[in-house]
Amino acid sequence: MRKRTKFKHFMFMLLALAMLIYAIPSISFKSGNGWITLFSVVWVAFSFLVIAAHWHVILGVDEEKKKTLERVRQHKLEQWQLKLSEESERSAGL
């Protein structure tokens, strides 16, 4: 992944973290407020989800997964080609 893209994700993650830090003191988690408490919990959970998603991209987990999948695809293609060549040799020998 390009360095500029990772920088962009890093900046967005910092922005989401700053918003979370700024909002935590004013968010109400008192049990008597009902909808307000529910909104607070959902908002904080969503903030953590956004931060985690950007962190996931920054760490490059998707790149490693793509490389692994490409190796598996290449191996399957080689097996398929080998099987096809064996079958063609068998049919040519008959």
Side-chain angles (χ1 to χ4, degrees):
M1 183 178 286
R2 295 185 331 191
K3 195 172 188 176
R4 184 175 181 184
T5 305
K6 285 193 177 189
F7 179 74
K8 181 178 73 171
H9 283 284
F10 182 73
M11 292 306 295
F12 287 147
M13 184 188 71
L14 283 180
L15 180 65
L17 189 60
M19 287 174 31
L20 181 65
I21 291 171
Y22 179 77
I24 287 289
S26 59
I27 291 178
S28 173
F29 291 106
K30 296 177 185 172
S31 61
N33 292 341
W35 288 106
I36 296 172
T37 303
L38 179 64
F39 174 79
S40 301
V41 169
V42 169
W43 194 89
V44 169
F46 184 72
S47 298
F48 280 130
L49 184 66
V50 169
I51 292 167
H54 286 294
W55 188 246
H56 180 80
V57 171
I58 290 168
L59 290 178
V61 175
D62 287 338
E63 293 174 16
E64 295 172 15
K65 187 176 181 180
K66 285 179 185 177
K67 288 178 184 177
T68 304
L69 287 174
E70 186 58 37
R71 281 192 298 252
V72 169
R73 281 189 205 112
Q74 191 66 30
H75 182 69
K76 284 185 176 184
L77 178 64
E78 291 170 0
Q79 286 180 337
W80 181 71
Q81 288 174 342
L82 181 64
K83 184 178 178 182
L84 237 132
S85 65
E86 287 174 355
E87 287 179 5
S88 65
E89 288 174 3
R90 239 184 276 141
S91 64
L94 293 176

